[in-house]
Amino acid sequence: MAPPADGDRFAVDVRSEDDVLVFTLTGELDHDTAEPLRAALTAAVDGGARRLLVDFSGVRFCDSTGLNVLLHSRLSLREEGGSIELAGLRPPVARMFRITGADGIFAVHPDVAHALAEPRHA
């Protein structure tokens, strides 16, 4: 996936790795850019996916809107026995997750390779 062009502040790429859907995010995730992630996560949940991995290694910024999108999708998935895991949180994004306590709600991995090597987290 190419990085977002100058006019594009955020991009979502989705791929399948065995039984895991990996969402690779690039750019800034905020109120103005969250809709593509919301739509992709909703489509995955509605399509029957049960293990979602969100790769934040390309995210420079995430605000509470991005966090709320993840929390809402997490609730929908938990009802179906699924989970959302996070990987590659960069320091500014990791700080937001730590301050809000969300780093204790989601399984957080150093990177996608580590996440895929581990068994599913509930």
Side-chain angles (χ1 to χ4, degrees):
M1 174 181 69
D6 289 340
D8 298 329
R9 292 187 22 200
F10 184 72
V12 179
D13 181 59
V14 182
R15 72 180 190 281
S16 181
E17 294 278 343
D18 296 320
D19 66 338
V20 182
L21 274 185
V22 179
F23 296 75
T24 302
L25 312 183
T26 308
E28 297 181 0
L29 177 55
D30 59 30
H31 177 2
D32 295 328
T33 64
E35 189 52 39
L37 179 59
R38 179 181 289 113
L41 291 172
T42 299
V45 173
D46 290 350
R50 293 298 167 254
R51 184 177 179 200
L52 309 183
L53 175 61
V54 182
D55 178 8
F56 272 85
S57 62
V59 175
R60 298 180 303 269
F61 173 81
C62 178
D63 73 1
S64 62
T65 302
L67 176 57
N68 284 328
V69 167
L70 292 168
L71 290 169
H72 177 75
S73 294
R74 178 183 172 272
L75 288 176
S76 297
L77 265 174
R78 284 185 60 92
E79 291 174 3
E80 302 297 328
S83 66
I84 294 182
E85 301 170 38
L86 310 178
L89 297 176
R90 294 165 79 176
V93 176
R95 182 175 185 270
M96 189 272 301
F97 277 83
R98 190 173 48 256
I99 288 170
T100 61
D103 62 345
I105 295 172
F106 296 98
V108 179
H109 306 277
D111 55 42
V112 170
H114 280 91
L116 294 175
E118 292 185 19
R120 179 175 178 248
H121 290 80

